[in-house]
Amino acid sequence: MRVAVLGAGAIGAYVGAALCRSGADVHLIARGAHLAALRAHGVRVLSPRGDFSAHPHATDDPTTVGPVDYVFLGLKAHSYASAGPLLAPLLGPETALVAGQNGIPWWYFHKLPGPYEGQRIEAVDPDGETSAVMAPERAIGCVVYPATVIKSPGVIQHLEGTRFSIGEPDGTVSQRCRWFSEAMIAGGLKCPVEPRLRDDIWIKLMGNASLNPISALTRATMVEICESAGTRRVVELMMEEILDIAARVGSTPEISIARRLDGAQRVGHHKTSMLQDLEAGKQLELDAVVAAVVEMADITGAPAPTLRTVHAATDLLARTMVKRAPIIPTPAPA
């Protein structure tokens, strides 16, 4: 199995190291000091489950890799539409794209039976630009649960979690999903193939679409948001609205709001990825995580007043941030 990781940041390099450990032929696409360290020393993973090292091929030039069986997308979703020049050399006729992104994916309504089948979500597929680069037929959905950070170039600190849920847009358990799952499991990760992957997307989105923008607006950690009665209530309202939108497109996540909030509170004084990006002057991951959900409210006729209000405030924050400071491209999802 040949696998390229496009955007070998914290999550991408972690996945690449695990797949390399399973025996896959892995190629990491990275840049800068991180790339230099990967070339010189490979990937070193520091984990409470046990440290390990792997030495996959690393490059900034995908033409040296050529077509692969799978491309794991370690980029943030707002980088997808511009990734064509890097992605094209990696694509063969049967290459699958494993999209390890936060939020609503560009393929969401692809092969989803019902009134919205084939609907394009402009927030994540503006004018079809993402689909033109990444055909939905190639997509394998992936919900990323682990938390990792780049401790130093070439060194990945694994904090918690090993689950990468994957699934086909049409809900089938395909052979290509089974093969990828088996390789991930052989590398020490959890990788269930979920026929209803969209339910997993909404479970994670309950937290990302509420806690992330609130954290950016307040500069508060997850536990601080949950322990403050006012912000906790705002998050509860946003989660109720998110579940309403999910139900309107046929998803029924099997988790309560109380349980989802308790899980977030147990994380402790952790800054969300959006707050970390804000403090680093990087582009905020709003389109896939918040704007796409608001757009789905428009499509389905959901009121979502709290979600719309928080999105308006966070969108203004992002736009004023652009005027005041340069944006640093972000290579990988948190």
Side-chain angles (χ1 to χ4, degrees), residues 122-161:
E122 288 293 324
V124 289
D125 192 11
D127 296 323
E129 292 176 1
T130 305
S131 292
V133 171
M134 304 174 179
E137 292 78 13
R138 293 186 182 271
I140 292 175
C142 178
V143 179
V144 176
Y145 289 95
T148 59
V149 295
I150 298 178
K151 185 174 182 180
S152 61
V155 180
I156 306 302
Q157 180 77 58
H158 171 231
L159 304 173
E160 62 176 354

Side-chain angles (χ1 to χ4, degrees), residues 143 145 163 165 196-204:
V143 179
Y145 289 95
R163 179 178 172 180
S165 296
R196 292 184 59 86
L197 185 72
R198 290 176 179 85
D199 289 352
D200 283 53
I201 289 172
W202 286 104
I203 289 172
K204 188 171 183 186

Side-chain angles (χ1 to χ4, degrees), residues 159-318:
L159 304 173
E160 62 176 354
T162 59
R163 179 178 172 180
F164 293 79
S165 296
I166 64 171
E168 292 283 356
D170 65 1
T172 60
V173 179
S174 65
Q175 186 61 59
R176 66 179 187 172
C177 278
R178 282 194 290 262
W179 283 334
F180 189 79
S181 172
E182 289 166 2
M184 293 279 276
I185 292 168
L189 304 177
K190 296 177 182 177
C191 190
V193 181
E194 301 286 359
R196 292 184 59 86
L197 185 72
R198 290 176 179 85
D199 289 352
D200 283 53
I201 289 172
W202 286 104
I203 289 172
K204 188 171 183 186
L205 198 58
M206 284 172 68
N208 283 349
S210 58
L211 291 163
N212 280 28
I214 293 296
S215 72
L217 292 169
T218 63
R219 311 301 200 271
T221 63
M222 291 171 69
V223 71
E224 288 170 339
I225 294 169
C226 292
E227 288 181 347
S228 169
T231 52
R232 185 182 182 95
R233 181 54 184 155
V234 171
V235 170
E236 288 173 345
L237 289 170
M238 294 177 75
M239 288 186 176
E240 289 173 5
E241 294 168 7
I242 290 164
L243 287 175
D244 175 45
I245 297 165
R248 290 167 185 254
V249 293
S251 281
T252 53
E254 295 183 359
I255 189 169
S256 69
I257 290 173
R259 183 181 167 194
R260 190 69 179 85
L261 276 168
D262 287 345
Q265 190 164 351
R266 284 196 302 272
V267 173
H269 288 283
H270 171 72
K271 295 180 179 180
T272 69
S273 59
M274 192 171 290
L275 178 54
Q276 292 178 48
D277 286 346
L278 178 69
E279 292 180 340
K282 298 178 181 179
Q283 182 173 342
L284 302 187
E285 196 177 16
L286 282 175
D287 290 344
V289 173
V290 188
V293 184
V294 171
E295 185 176 340
M296 292 175 83
D298 292 336
I299 291 169
T300 61
T306 315
L307 188 64
R308 293 178 189 276
T309 300
V310 171
H311 172 245
T314 319
D315 181 62
L316 178 58
L317 172 66

Side-chain angles (χ1 to χ4, degrees), residues 3-200:
V3 181
V5 177
L6 183 56
I11 285 293
Y14 178 58
V15 168
L19 287 171
C20 188
R21 190 163 62 161
S22 77
D25 178 17
V26 178
H27 304 265
L28 305 180
I29 315 299
R31 61 187 178 183
H34 188 52
L35 171 60
L38 293 172
R39 282 173 164 166
H41 308 293
V43 184
R44 186 181 176 204
V45 176
L46 308 179
S47 172
R49 303 177 71 249
D51 301 347
F52 69 95
S53 296
H55 294 80
H57 172 239
T59 182
D60 59 358
D61 183 5
T63 63
T64 66
V65 177
V68 295
D69 300 308
Y70 299 89
V71 177
F72 182 88
L73 296 169
L75 304 169
K76 286 201 173 182
H78 53 243
S79 301
Y80 282 9
S82 61
L86 291 173
L87 184 61
L90 304 172
L91 299 180
E94 303 298 324
T95 303
L97 303 178
V98 182
Q101 67 164 94
N102 286 330
I104 297 292
W106 84 100
W107 54 262
Y108 189 91
F109 287 119
H110 176 63
K111 293 190 175 180
L112 177 65
Y116 307 113
E117 183 172 5
Q119 175 88 36
R120 187 172 73 242
I121 304 171
E122 288 293 324
V124 289
D125 192 11
D127 296 323
E129 292 176 1
T130 305
S131 292
V133 171
M134 304 174 179
E137 292 78 13
R138 293 186 182 271
I140 292 175
C142 178
V143 179
V144 176
Y145 289 95
T148 59
V149 295
I150 298 178
K151 185 174 182 180
S152 61
V155 180
I156 306 302
Q157 180 77 58
H158 171 231
L159 304 173
E160 62 176 354
T162 59
R163 179 178 172 180
F164 293 79
S165 296
I166 64 171
E168 292 283 356
D170 65 1
T172 60
V173 179
S174 65
Q175 186 61 59
R176 66 179 187 172
C177 278
R178 282 194 290 262
W179 283 334
F180 189 79
S181 172
E182 289 166 2
M184 293 279 276
I185 292 168
L189 304 177
K190 296 177 182 177
C191 190
V193 181
E194 301 286 359
R196 292 184 59 86
L197 185 72
R198 290 176 179 85
D199 289 352
D200 283 53

